[in-house]
Amino acid sequence: MLANERTERATQPNVTANGSQDTFRVIGATEPLKGSMLMKVEYPDITLFDRAGTFTVAVFPIPFLRGYGQQGEWFVVEAGRRCATGPGRFAFKLRDPTDNIVNKIELEISKKNSQPDVPPPLPPHHH
């Protein structure tokens, strides 16, 4: 049972330096995204990983979402046609109903919006 203990530790949500959580334990309820997963919210993406956090199951670019919302222990993403999943609604049950994924998404968007858009550096000029 050692492997199982290691898996349980790996699935603990990551807590950032400022104390805000960026990874949530969810259970996908919509085909093809069904079963236990980790959901990481870090602009510009919402990324779903397998339960151990070792491989990416799906990525929802936040700018390509038609909408998202949370009611109680349910979080729903409405993917647009530019998402790799294609358009559709995907429901996830939160392992911890006190998690607030919507607040985290909005925090990430506001952090992005508060950073000045810095143009990329110019390539070196050669004569």
Side-chain angles (χ1 to χ4, degrees), residues 74-125:
W74 288 95
F75 174 72
V76 176
V77 171
E78 187 166 354
R81 58 184 165 75
R82 294 172 66 188
C83 292
T85 56
R89 291 172 65 104
F90 299 91
F92 302 92
K93 186 174 183 181
L94 305 176
R95 284 285 184 83
D96 181 350
T98 64
D99 285 344
N100 194 325
I101 297 176
V102 170
N103 272 3
K104 176 59 180 168
I105 294 169
E106 289 172 356
L107 178 69
E108 287 292 309
I109 292 169
S110 69
K111 278 197 306 193
K112 153 65 172 105
N113 290 341
S114 68
Q115 294 170 351
D117 286 332
V118 179
L122 295 171
H125 192 266

Side-chain angles (χ1 to χ4, degrees), residues 2 8 14 21 35 54 66 68 75 81 85 99 113 122:
L2 278 175
E8 280 306 307
N14 295 341
Q21 182 177 323
T54 51
R66 290 185 179 149
Y68 53 85
F75 174 72
R81 58 184 165 75
T85 56
D99 285 344
N113 290 341
L122 295 171

Side-chain angles (χ1 to χ4, degrees), residues 6-7 43 47 57 88 96 117:
R6 204 164 41 249
T7 302
Y43 198 88
T47 307
V57 176
D96 181 350
D117 286 332

Side-chain angles (χ1 to χ4, degrees), residues 57-75:
V57 176
V59 178
F60 294 106
I62 294 169
F64 297 165
L65 295 179
R66 290 185 179 149
Y68 53 85
Q70 185 172 334
Q71 190 166 12
E73 61 189 8
W74 288 95
F75 174 72

Side-chain angles (χ1 to χ4, degrees), residues 25-36:
R25 289 166 41 158
V26 299
I27 302 166
T30 314
E31 289 291 354
L33 303 176
K34 292 192 93 163
S36 292

